[in-house]
Amino acid sequence: MKLLGRILQYQIITSLCVLTLGAGLFFLSVRYLIDEEVNKELLRSKAKVSWQLRHIDTLPVYILQLGDSLQLQAVPYPGRMLLRERNLLNTSENERQPYRELVFYERVEGQWYRVTISQLLAQRQQLMKAVVMTVTFIVALLLVSLLLLNSWLSERLWRPFYKTLRALDNYQLEKHEVLEFSRTKTLEFEQLNLSLTRFTERLAGTYQNLKEFTENASHEIQTPLAVILSKIEGLFQDETLKENQLLALSEVSEAANRLARLNQALLLLTKIENRQFLAGNEPVNLQPIIGRKLRDLEDLIEQRKISIKTDLEPTGPVMHPALAEVLVNNLLTNAIRYNVEDGSIFISLVPGKLVVRNTGNVTQINPELMFERFRKESTNSASLGLGLALAKTICQVNGQTLTYETEENLHVLTVSW
Amino acid sequence: MKLLLIEDEKALATSIQSYFQRENFICEWAPDYENAIEKINIYRYDCVLVDLMLPDGDGLDAVRELKRKYPETGIIIISAKNSLDDRIAGLNLGSDDYLTKPFHLSELNARVQAVIRRRNFQGNQQVRFGKITIDPQEHSVSVENQEIILTRKEYDLLMYLIANKNRVLTKESIAEHLWGDDADLMDNFDFIYTHIKNLRKKLMDKGCPDYLRSLYGVGYKFSEQ
């Protein structure tokens, strides 16, 4: 939910509470005032009626006819004066309406009378209506103005914030970008932008250092390795070497070669993790890559008598073309390496999915563990144990998923995008 | 044939130098950029091997200078830098090949010979070894005028053996030449053996003497003796 939306939510809830409470208090206070007024009026009537009753012998009879609102009833003894509210039938409108009554006792010519004066409280109902209508109107007005204010705020005041957000969204470290923002009048946004600029400056610097370190490490390790390998090769040409010396030399050569390959693979892995291979915008068609790779591996496949079945459509994920090559290469070589004699490989490429299914040994290892670096099935294999780790990393940085499942003797690697 | 090696690592330079001297190449060495420019300006070379990272300059500048002066000289970049950008920059400047360190000297040798062949004779020169004649342009091989049909791998293998004749070739270097990065797929090198066996058989069927000697556990040697 947008920040302004949330603010609006709280504003609406608070306004509704305040308004309800305010309306209630308003209603009560107005009612109190009106009641007071009615009471005063009733008491004034009482004084008048009392006086009239006391002088009834000297006044004309019709004076006392106050209609419905005055009732006289003879009672044996007086009671307390009281003020009360009752719903009575209004004969003129023929419905029950609230009345306020004043009941008191008066002695006329030795006889006690109970006198009841009633006053219709019609104003109160009108008041209720007025309060409800006013409050509803205020609420509506408030809501409309809040909405207008919010949209205006987000349009004007929050504009730099959303600009910053968009810039961050599009930020790519690999481009060594430093985010620069135009100045804003709001102090907080200005601070945010400044911190972000400094932050991205540091990031770009650190990233550059890391990249340089990787490159330098590559150079520093490759050069001594090149020396070692070249010296070994020179020694091989020495005709005076005995057979056992040649054999030892051959083992040194193998180990040095392996070290060289390991270094290359680790460097590639580091480079991919540092996201030095940016995906373009165009999907890479994997079909020709798979075809080419299968031709390259033809003799290996023939030698192990592996049968290949393919079902390829011209499609592929969005990634750096060099990485697509590495990915296909690692998946296919993995399928060949861990295959069995007379085994088979089935490759299917459909939009959104590349599946490589190969026969192999039944394994108890959790297939997901195969993605760990240096994980190997046997220690004497020439494999570096980095192939699937590389494939996994490539998929991770490009937003694809790579899964490994086993069904009986079938090993299934799936890339989905 | 005259080579210039621009490389700051002395130990590597001497290995390369002695390797090419056995080939009867004259191989001069420039340990830094300044020396390299000086040599380029004085002498003419058939092929120049350039390391990109030099203590006092960028090897690519040396390539540029060389291209300007003697565009017909072959150039091979040997670098520890393996990034695609460097490769593309190097090849764009007109270098003929790009070899990443570490490499096998036999691989470097094969590439130098291929570059010189392409440069000097516009690729029309036939390669001869004993009774074998190879036309690199046609990719055709014949023994005493009888053509032999070889697979792509067998052809590459034969070219590699001839380029490195009279030398011990390790199994790793052969595997890497033929399969590149896939070489580590082979848990044992029986694999090379299959190709060697097939090639040897095809050659000997046409009356070619057995030039190939296998050195147990080490590799192979291709020689006329």
Side-chain angles (χ1 to χ4, degrees), chain A residues 367-400:
Chain A
E368 289 290 326
L369 289 180
M370 295 297 189
F371 295 127
E372 283 177 10
R373 291 174 187 194
F374 304 114
R375 157 77 64 173
K376 291 194 283 184
E377 285 215 331
S378 64
T379 44
N380 55 7
S381 115
S383 152
L384 298 173
L386 284 173
L388 286 186
L390 261 172
K392 182 85 180 176
T393 310
I394 291 173
C395 289
Q396 269 168 355
V397 300
N398 286 294
Q400 290 101 30

Short mmCIF file of all heavy atoms in Angstrom, two decimals, chain A residues 367-400:
data_model
loop_
_atom_site.label_atom_id
_atom_site.label_comp_id
_atom_site.label_asym_id
_atom_site.label_seq_id
_atom_site.Cartn_x
_atom_site.Cartn_y
_atom_site.Cartn_z
N PRO A 367 19.69 -34.49 -4.58
CA PRO A 367 20.16 -33.91 -5.84
C PRO A 367 20.56 -32.44 -5.72
O PRO A 367 21.48 -31.99 -6.39
CB PRO A 367 18.97 -34.06 -6.79
CG PRO A 367 18.10 -35.07 -6.17
CD PRO A 367 18.35 -35.05 -4.71
N GLU A 368 19.89 -31.70 -4.83
CA GLU A 368 20.20 -30.27 -4.72
C GLU A 368 21.63 -30.04 -4.23
O GLU A 368 22.21 -29.00 -4.49
CB GLU A 368 19.20 -29.56 -3.78
CG GLU A 368 17.80 -29.42 -4.35
CD GLU A 368 17.70 -28.43 -5.52
OE1 GLU A 368 18.44 -27.43 -5.50
OE2 GLU A 368 16.90 -28.68 -6.44
N LEU A 369 22.18 -31.05 -3.52
CA LEU A 369 23.56 -30.91 -3.03
C LEU A 369 24.57 -30.90 -4.16
O LEU A 369 25.70 -30.48 -4.00
CB LEU A 369 23.89 -32.05 -2.07
CG LEU A 369 23.19 -32.02 -0.72
CD1 LEU A 369 23.62 -33.21 0.12
CD2 LEU A 369 23.52 -30.72 0.01
N MET A 370 24.13 -31.40 -5.33
CA MET A 370 25.02 -31.46 -6.49
C MET A 370 25.46 -30.07 -6.93
O MET A 370 26.42 -29.93 -7.67
CB MET A 370 24.33 -32.14 -7.67
CG MET A 370 24.00 -33.58 -7.41
SD MET A 370 25.51 -34.49 -7.17
CE MET A 370 24.89 -36.13 -7.18
N PHE A 371 24.71 -29.04 -6.51
CA PHE A 371 25.05 -27.69 -6.94
C PHE A 371 26.17 -27.09 -6.10
O PHE A 371 26.66 -26.02 -6.39
CB PHE A 371 23.82 -26.78 -6.88
CG PHE A 371 22.74 -27.19 -7.84
CD1 PHE A 371 21.44 -27.41 -7.40
CD2 PHE A 371 23.03 -27.36 -9.18
CE1 PHE A 371 20.46 -27.77 -8.30
CE2 PHE A 371 22.06 -27.73 -10.07
CZ PHE A 371 20.77 -27.94 -9.63
N GLU A 372 26.55 -27.79 -5.02
CA GLU A 372 27.63 -27.25 -4.18
C GLU A 372 28.95 -27.32 -4.92
O GLU A 372 29.19 -28.22 -5.72
CB GLU A 372 27.74 -28.07 -2.90
CG GLU A 372 26.66 -27.73 -1.91
CD GLU A 372 26.74 -28.61 -0.69
OE1 GLU A 372 27.74 -29.34 -0.54
OE2 GLU A 372 25.79 -28.57 0.11
N ARG A 373 29.81 -26.34 -4.60
CA ARG A 373 31.11 -26.33 -5.26
C ARG A 373 31.95 -27.51 -4.79
O ARG A 373 31.90 -27.89 -3.63
CB ARG A 373 31.86 -25.05 -4.90
CG ARG A 373 31.21 -23.86 -5.53
CD ARG A 373 31.86 -22.61 -5.05
NE ARG A 373 31.09 -21.47 -5.55
CZ ARG A 373 31.52 -20.24 -5.54
NH1 ARG A 373 32.70 -19.97 -5.06
NH2 ARG A 373 30.78 -19.28 -6.01
N PHE A 374 32.72 -28.03 -5.69
CA PHE A 374 33.66 -29.11 -5.43
C PHE A 374 32.99 -30.40 -4.96
O PHE A 374 33.60 -31.25 -4.36
CB PHE A 374 34.73 -28.70 -4.41
CG PHE A 374 35.48 -27.49 -4.84
CD1 PHE A 374 35.38 -26.31 -4.14
CD2 PHE A 374 36.25 -27.51 -6.00
CE1 PHE A 374 36.04 -25.16 -4.55
CE2 PHE A 374 36.91 -26.38 -6.42
CZ PHE A 374 36.82 -25.21 -5.70
N ARG A 375 31.69 -30.53 -5.24
CA ARG A 375 30.99 -31.77 -4.91
C ARG A 375 31.22 -32.75 -6.07
O ARG A 375 30.96 -32.43 -7.21
CB ARG A 375 29.50 -31.45 -4.71
CG ARG A 375 28.55 -32.58 -4.89
CD ARG A 375 28.55 -33.51 -3.72
NE ARG A 375 28.07 -32.87 -2.50
CZ ARG A 375 27.85 -33.56 -1.39
NH1 ARG A 375 28.06 -34.86 -1.36
NH2 ARG A 375 27.43 -32.94 -0.31
N LYS A 376 31.77 -33.90 -5.75
CA LYS A 376 32.02 -34.88 -6.80
C LYS A 376 31.57 -36.26 -6.34
O LYS A 376 31.55 -36.54 -5.16
CB LYS A 376 33.53 -34.95 -7.13
CG LYS A 376 34.02 -33.70 -7.79
CD LYS A 376 35.36 -33.91 -8.41
CE LYS A 376 36.46 -33.92 -7.36
NZ LYS A 376 37.77 -34.04 -7.98
N GLU A 377 31.21 -37.08 -7.31
CA GLU A 377 30.78 -38.42 -6.96
C GLU A 377 31.96 -39.30 -6.60
O GLU A 377 31.91 -40.09 -5.66
CB GLU A 377 29.98 -39.03 -8.11
CG GLU A 377 28.59 -38.44 -8.19
CD GLU A 377 27.57 -39.45 -8.62
OE1 GLU A 377 27.95 -40.38 -9.36
OE2 GLU A 377 26.41 -39.31 -8.23
N SER A 378 33.03 -39.17 -7.34
CA SER A 378 34.20 -39.96 -7.01
C SER A 378 35.41 -39.05 -7.01
O SER A 378 35.47 -38.07 -7.73
CB SER A 378 34.39 -41.08 -8.02
OG SER A 378 34.64 -40.51 -9.28
N THR A 379 36.38 -39.38 -6.15
CA THR A 379 37.51 -38.48 -5.98
C THR A 379 38.51 -38.61 -7.12
O THR A 379 39.27 -37.69 -7.36
CB THR A 379 38.23 -38.78 -4.66
OG1 THR A 379 38.35 -40.19 -4.55
CG2 THR A 379 37.47 -38.21 -3.51
N ASN A 380 38.48 -39.73 -7.85
CA ASN A 380 39.51 -39.89 -8.87
C ASN A 380 39.07 -39.34 -10.23
O ASN A 380 39.78 -39.47 -11.22
CB ASN A 380 39.95 -41.35 -9.00
CG ASN A 380 38.78 -42.26 -9.27
OD1 ASN A 380 37.67 -41.76 -9.48
ND2 ASN A 380 39.01 -43.55 -9.27
N SER A 381 37.90 -38.74 -10.26
CA SER A 381 37.44 -38.24 -11.55
C SER A 381 38.19 -36.96 -11.91
O SER A 381 38.66 -36.23 -11.05
CB SER A 381 35.94 -37.99 -11.51
OG SER A 381 35.66 -36.64 -11.66
N ALA A 382 38.31 -36.73 -13.20
CA ALA A 382 39.04 -35.54 -13.66
C ALA A 382 38.20 -34.29 -13.48
O ALA A 382 38.66 -33.18 -13.67
CB ALA A 382 39.42 -35.70 -15.12
N SER A 383 36.95 -34.49 -13.08
CA SER A 383 36.04 -33.36 -12.95
C SER A 383 36.52 -32.40 -11.88
O SER A 383 37.08 -32.79 -10.87
CB SER A 383 34.66 -33.89 -12.58
OG SER A 383 33.96 -32.93 -11.85
N LEU A 384 36.30 -31.12 -12.10
CA LEU A 384 36.70 -30.12 -11.13
C LEU A 384 35.63 -29.96 -10.05
O LEU A 384 35.86 -29.39 -9.01
CB LEU A 384 36.90 -28.76 -11.82
CG LEU A 384 38.00 -28.70 -12.87
CD1 LEU A 384 37.97 -27.36 -13.56
CD2 LEU A 384 39.35 -28.93 -12.23
N GLY A 385 34.43 -30.46 -10.33
CA GLY A 385 33.34 -30.32 -9.37
C GLY A 385 32.76 -28.92 -9.35
O GLY A 385 32.16 -28.50 -8.38
N LEU A 386 32.96 -28.18 -10.42
CA LEU A 386 32.45 -26.81 -10.46
C LEU A 386 31.37 -26.62 -11.53
O LEU A 386 30.74 -25.57 -11.58
CB LEU A 386 33.60 -25.84 -10.74
CG LEU A 386 34.52 -25.56 -9.57
CD1 LEU A 386 35.71 -24.73 -10.02
CD2 LEU A 386 33.79 -24.84 -8.46
N GLY A 387 31.18 -27.63 -12.36
CA GLY A 387 30.28 -27.50 -13.51
C GLY A 387 28.88 -27.09 -13.14
O GLY A 387 28.36 -26.09 -13.66
N LEU A 388 28.26 -27.83 -12.23
CA LEU A 388 26.88 -27.51 -11.88
C LEU A 388 26.78 -26.27 -11.00
O LEU A 388 25.80 -25.54 -11.06
CB LEU A 388 26.22 -28.70 -11.18
CG LEU A 388 25.86 -29.87 -12.12
CD1 LEU A 388 25.10 -30.93 -11.38
CD2 LEU A 388 25.05 -29.38 -13.31
N ALA A 389 27.83 -26.04 -10.19
CA ALA A 389 27.84 -24.81 -9.39
C ALA A 389 27.83 -23.59 -10.32
O ALA A 389 27.13 -22.62 -10.08
CB ALA A 389 29.08 -24.78 -8.49
N LEU A 390 28.62 -23.70 -11.39
CA LEU A 390 28.64 -22.63 -12.40
C LEU A 390 27.27 -22.45 -13.04
O LEU A 390 26.77 -21.33 -13.16
CB LEU A 390 29.63 -22.98 -13.49
CG LEU A 390 31.02 -22.35 -13.41
CD1 LEU A 390 31.93 -22.95 -14.45
CD2 LEU A 390 30.91 -20.86 -13.61
N ALA A 391 26.65 -23.58 -13.43
CA ALA A 391 25.34 -23.53 -14.07
C ALA A 391 24.33 -22.87 -13.15
O ALA A 391 23.54 -22.00 -13.55
CB ALA A 391 24.89 -24.92 -14.47
N LYS A 392 24.38 -23.26 -11.86
CA LYS A 392 23.44 -22.71 -10.88
C LYS A 392 23.64 -21.20 -10.73
O LYS A 392 22.67 -20.43 -10.71
CB LYS A 392 23.67 -23.41 -9.53
CG LYS A 392 22.72 -22.98 -8.43
CD LYS A 392 21.44 -23.76 -8.50
CE LYS A 392 20.47 -23.35 -7.41
NZ LYS A 392 19.20 -24.04 -7.55
N THR A 393 24.90 -20.79 -10.63
CA THR A 393 25.19 -19.37 -10.46
C THR A 393 24.72 -18.57 -11.67
O THR A 393 24.15 -17.49 -11.52
CB THR A 393 26.71 -19.16 -10.27
OG1 THR A 393 27.15 -20.05 -9.26
CG2 THR A 393 27.02 -17.74 -9.87
N ILE A 394 24.95 -19.12 -12.86
CA ILE A 394 24.50 -18.42 -14.07
C ILE A 394 22.99 -18.21 -14.01
O ILE A 394 22.48 -17.12 -14.28
CB ILE A 394 24.88 -19.22 -15.33
CG1 ILE A 394 26.39 -19.20 -15.52
CG2 ILE A 394 24.18 -18.66 -16.56
CD1 ILE A 394 26.88 -20.09 -16.63
N CYS A 395 22.26 -19.26 -13.63
CA CYS A 395 20.80 -19.16 -13.56
C CYS A 395 20.39 -18.14 -12.49
O CYS A 395 19.49 -17.34 -12.70
CB CYS A 395 20.18 -20.51 -13.26
SG CYS A 395 20.31 -21.62 -14.66
N GLN A 396 21.08 -18.17 -11.35
CA GLN A 396 20.72 -17.26 -10.26
C GLN A 396 20.87 -15.80 -10.66
O GLN A 396 19.96 -15.01 -10.45
CB GLN A 396 21.59 -17.54 -9.03
CG GLN A 396 20.94 -18.55 -8.11
CD GLN A 396 21.91 -19.03 -7.05
OE1 GLN A 396 23.09 -18.67 -7.06
NE2 GLN A 396 21.43 -19.85 -6.15
N VAL A 397 22.00 -15.46 -11.26
CA VAL A 397 22.21 -14.04 -11.57
C VAL A 397 21.30 -13.57 -12.69
O VAL A 397 21.04 -12.38 -12.82
CB VAL A 397 23.68 -13.69 -11.91
CG1 VAL A 397 24.59 -14.03 -10.77
CG2 VAL A 397 24.12 -14.37 -13.18
N ASN A 398 20.79 -14.49 -13.50
CA ASN A 398 19.93 -14.07 -14.60
C ASN A 398 18.45 -14.28 -14.31
O ASN A 398 17.62 -14.09 -15.19
CB ASN A 398 20.31 -14.83 -15.87
CG ASN A 398 21.60 -14.31 -16.46
OD1 ASN A 398 21.67 -13.18 -16.89
ND2 ASN A 398 22.63 -15.13 -16.42
N GLY A 399 18.14 -14.72 -13.08
CA GLY A 399 16.74 -14.86 -12.70
C GLY A 399 16.07 -16.10 -13.26
O GLY A 399 14.86 -16.17 -13.34
N GLN A 400 16.85 -17.11 -13.64
CA GLN A 400 16.24 -18.38 -14.01
C GLN A 400 16.38 -19.34 -12.84
O GLN A 400 17.14 -19.10 -11.92
CB GLN A 400 16.94 -18.99 -15.24
CG GLN A 400 16.69 -18.25 -16.52
CD GLN A 400 17.85 -17.36 -16.90
OE1 GLN A 400 18.99 -17.63 -16.58
NE2 GLN A 400 17.55 -16.26 -17.57
#
